[in-house]
Amino acid sequence: MIKASIIGATGYTGAELVRILSRHPQVELVALTSQSYVGQELGRVFPHLKPATTLVCSEQDVLKVARESDVIFTALPHGLSVPIVQEAIENGAKVIDLGADFRLDDQAEYEHWYKVEHHASGLLAEAVYGLPEINREKIARARVVGNPGCYPTSAILGLAPLLKKGLLQANSVIIDSKSGVSGAGRGLSLGVHYSECNDSIKAYNVGGHRHIPEIEQELSKLAGEKVAISFTPHLTPMTRGILSTIYGNLTKDVSYQEVHQLYSEFYGEEPFVQVLPLGELPQTKWCYGSNHCFIGLVVDPRVNRVIVVAAIDNLVKGASGQAVQNMNLLFGLPETSGLEFAGIYP
Amino acid sequence: MIKASIIGATGYTGAELVRILSRHPQVELVALTSQSYVGQELGRVFPHLKPATTLVCSEQDVLKVARESDVIFTALPHGLSVPIVQEAIENGAKVIDLGADFRLDDQAEYEHWYKVEHHASGLLAEAVYGLPEINREKIARARVVGNPGCYPTSAILGLAPLLKKGLLQANSVIIDSKSGVSGAGRGLSLGVHYSECNDSIKAYNVGGHRHIPEIEQELSKLAGEKVAISFTPHLTPMTRGILSTIYGNLTKDVSYQEVHQLYSEFYGEEPFVQVLPLGELPQTKWCYGSNHCFIGLVVDPRVNRVIVVAAIDNLVKGASGQAVQNMNLLFGLPETSGLEFAGIYP
Amino acid sequence: MIKASIIGATGYTGAELVRILSRHPQVELVALTSQSYVGQELGRVFPHLKPATTLVCSEQDVLKVARESDVIFTALPHGLSVPIVQEAIENGAKVIDLGADFRLDDQAEYEHWYKVEHHASGLLAEAVYGLPEINREKIARARVVGNPGCYPTSAILGLAPLLKKGLLQANSVIIDSKSGVSGAGRGLSLGVHYSECNDSIKAYNVGGHRHIPEIEQELSKLAGEKVAISFTPHLTPMTRGILSTIYGNLTKDVSYQEVHQLYSEFYGEEPFVQVLPLGELPQTKWCYGSNHCFIGLVVDPRVNRVIVVAAIDNLVKGASGQAVQNMNLLFGLPETSGLEFAGIYP
Amino acid sequence: MIKASIIGATGYTGAELVRILSRHPQVELVALTSQSYVGQELGRVFPHLKPATTLVCSEQDVLKVARESDVIFTALPHGLSVPIVQEAIENGAKVIDLGADFRLDDQAEYEHWYKVEHHASGLLAEAVYGLPEINREKIARARVVGNPGCYPTSAILGLAPLLKKGLLQANSVIIDSKSGVSGAGRGLSLGVHYSECNDSIKAYNVGGHRHIPEIEQELSKLAGEKVAISFTPHLTPMTRGILSTIYGNLTKDVSYQEVHQLYSEFYGEEPFVQVLPLGELPQTKWCYGSNHCFIGLVVDPRVNRVIVVAAIDNLVKGASGQAVQNMNLLFGLPETSGLEFAGIYP
């Protein structure tokens, strides 16, 4: 049994990790730390987890946690993970960071977008971007995995086959994403106050969202050239789910069937990517609570553009499920272990 | 491995059975029948189940299904199950009926409320009401289980301890229930058209809902006297969940602590009933997608009344999860087998 | 033109007053005060009001406001209105208080339930409970109107005809109310964080909600005897609306038709109470944004109980619309002036 | 008083017309026709309109309606309006068609996209596209107004200033629109069944939606060259509202301030278009129930693209409110008459 701990267990991604790991056949949860709920049973903080665990939230004693754990999941706001990951690694634990601190390769880029200094440039260089469908082999050999952001997961999975084949004009890519409100976390603010956002949709952080450098970094690697995107996130009146509608200009005349074929082959063996049949498009509810990404495609010859629609659950494939998928890779387990559950529908 | 089939697999309760059974460690799904989708993969009808099963919907050939199955789940509108259950039983399968045809003991009562004749009075008499927390032993020996309605499950679990102790005035019981819209099924009607019911709540079938005789039957058995209730269902703008707020006049002066103690003991060993700590009340989202029932209690000495609030997922503990719990009992499996998953939150 | 001001204009009831008053043909809005937004245009705080007013939020200078206003609406948390109302009255303005400070007749009752002292017992004694359908004449002569709470409005309108006729057992009344989330106001808390309350329903403050004494006070007056109720509010996943499902035992054998006739006559001339035809029940969305109360009735002879279902918009008939109705009475205007708009549906 | 009638009064746009017209100071509603509800009071079909009108739905006798009306609103599925409009015009009524039959200038284009023949090419040529902010003068002189589609209204208002100035590359325009479910009308289908679309978002008709030719027609006129767009509509879990997020490549280097200035001037006098301050973006709820369009802007110099976000209520500015605005123009009334109400928030 792999001994796993969570630093920051009482946010939504932490709770989702517990939901998944508590039923993982090769995992034993050993510690859950929290800032706000030390000494409380997690099942009191999140009653839906009452049947799943009797663990009590403990203080964030990283040394102790690292010594008793094979793997640590850090689920903290950006900037807070760096010292923790360093200490954990030094004490022999592997780390999967669900925050933003180990996603960007370039320290200056990180510091530019996140407005904090990064004090572990060595680890940053070593860390692997944890998108298994792209980086499977590297992840398996990593000590630190930077778990992808929710929006980037949908965007990169949606674009990878086309970019890798050089079929898209690098600077034509526009990603229009719609996220459920849980993506904003558990912290209180007027923008996610029920009465303010129910029955209403809005765009936010247009052109300035911190997931932009992460998306561009990975798309550029796939394309083999610098890709600059437009990315617009929207707050959508639903609890979970991300739908990314992605537009790109084709570099040559390819048919709908050819593009569809390309995706079907690219993701043919992937357990968590479902390329939909010709003519079908996903809705986010299909992956509510599951680790699956559904991808639908349209080629619009009128404007010589391809439109890709990718749907995930922001808290599962977009966060905690993907983190468990990465853990499976780190420890040589079947990649789907503990993640085989279907979504909840309707 | 137990061979299980579903007659009526393409409604919501059918799909939910597939979601659960496809991951049950002792079950093999062998046939899924449908009226509307014969020949189609279930994963096309319900894409969230694409990763769960490759089964194709077949015609409703009961004889064939019965011969290849150890257990059949019937998930059909009332009146349609009777001949199917009869044929299945005659051909050696056990049956769990998720419809209303085998819940009432009294044929006349059934025919009065459901406005159809019942052509299998023998089976009706034999069938066991499938609420494990109340009827565990009988279910284990049954051939036909009448799986409880969603509202009755919440109401009976909410009232059993008090009624069994004689602590409630039999005719004071009022059950005010709020159900998510999935309880109305997948059939189209103006009342469950999104624009008509979103952001709005209403009561319906006041004093005339068909779950009344079922609730009264079971409550009367528990109380040892005839119990007549008021029951008001409400259509609530949420997909899943039932919250039943239950009122009853106390027959004697008992304290909040005593009532709480009574519930804690009554349900102490139950894997799927969570009695909340003093002062806490449930919300339906805690059991979203899970087989758990959460119960909160208040005793209001101002009016000498107890108020019980019970929350379930109408499609799980209120239907398909409970059906699997019954199947586990029928075949001597651990009662929680295949049902250990926590709810999805938030 | 009546000069009207709002003390506390940047909460939901304040904004709703502006929405209504800005189109009232006999009203001129002269001042809007705020704690948090002094110096900002209200149309920046609430962009939906941009087209309605160019007023800027000012400091809470009661003396100044009172001198330039014929009527002041106070929309503040309980306890804060008392000194303001006193000062306003002394300076010649009439006051309609949308908070709880002038609803209860009995000072001790107020202090018991609200846990604060009341420093204006004289005004408390003088203030009129502002439910026009019950107190029309008194309101017309008042200086201070205690505008009813949202839940009480639905409960009292739902019960008045039966109680006044002595048709209900005084202590049998149970009020099960479902409120939209806007009833909780604009203040942030985890319970009204979108992800926590979307797609979920819960009861709260069972047996202890502060609207209980207000409801009992008014029902007791109607009944001519002490009425003690059970009242259970529920947080419902919708922005606006209250549905109160009300149960009472009949004191004698009256038919559904007779009860319906009683209501139809009682409310026959009322512009804002719609008694539904026999067999029909309301949904909250019918009064979304309007000042109307819809009432449906069922008599259940099985249990000799009447069930009344009353629907209002908590922010209109349950707060700001009713306040304007009271203002119309105070100034001898047609009671419907400025309030004739229909609800928004769907 | 202008005598107005509605052909097709029992769909959502018909009901919304009644809500608005019943309070219009210069309008008398004289006839409401319906296919499904002949002989019923509209206030029974839509109880929220009970307080607004006592009119009874009549048969669709166009001759009779035309003779007693100054203006007729046709709110019918495409293809059905053509003969009705012809008959109405011949009998002296002006017509505002809320369907799609009189929006396209080109008959062949209409027949290509709508798959029906158009039997009134003369009227088609004569009809004026009813977007007042663009076509005010022509509308004032029209006999037949083709009221714009909901998506086109948001898209054209969002793009007009830039295209008219030649600041956008004609073929770079991408319109990603999110619509509330009421846009799908009152007809039943699985896609708008509550349980299927609640808490979920999806794209539909990608590259093939019938609003494409209408948008391209008007954008091309504004740009003075052929504009070909990508347009992706999304079904969003909310009742009302359209948010269009619009992307375009700039033809030259203009600053955010310059673009903002351009919009502020272009719409400076418009009563129903609100250009938001620099840095602000709209949410759909701000115009819930109102005739206002809110526009926010971003210029992203990283990619030399402008992003415009336009929000409307699909049933008001996107349909019935705009139709009344057109009626005001047709009859020389103040353009805002009957439309001054603010939105409902929260």
Side-chain angles (χ1 to χ4, degrees), chain A residues 171 176 178 195-196 198-201 216 230 232 234 238-239 245 247 283-285 302 305 345-346, chain D residues 171 176 178 195-196 198-201 216 230 232 234 238-239 245 247 283-285 302 305 345-346:
Chain A
N171 291 331
D176 189 285
K178 297 89 181 167
S195 301
E196 302 278 324
N198 183 44
D199 228 35
S200 189
I201 189 167
E216 291 187 346
S230 280
T232 307
H234 295 77
M238 56 190 195
T239 306
T245 310
Y247 304 84
Q283 66 175 127
T284 53
K285 199 185 268 214
R302 290 177 63 258
R305 226 172 251 139
Y345 187 94
Chain D
N171 291 332
D176 189 284
K178 299 87 181 167
S195 302
E196 303 278 324
N198 182 43
D199 228 36
S200 190
I201 189 167
E216 291 186 346
S230 281
T232 307
H234 295 77
M238 56 190 195
T239 305
T245 311
Y247 304 85
Q283 66 174 128
T284 54
K285 197 184 269 212
R302 290 178 62 258
R305 225 172 251 139
Y345 187 95

Side-chain angles (χ1 to χ4, degrees), chain A residues 73-111:
Chain A
F73 296 87
T74 44
L76 299 170
H78 74 266
L80 300 185
S81 294
V82 176
I84 291 167
V85 172
Q86 192 136 33
E87 189 172 359
I89 290 292
E90 284 164 6
N91 286 280
K94 296 186 175 190
V95 179
I96 298 165
D97 179 38
L98 284 86
D101 288 358
F102 294 92
R103 294 175 189 160
L104 297 185
D105 300 337
D106 187 81
Q107 185 170 351
E109 189 88 343
Y110 175 85
E111 294 176 350

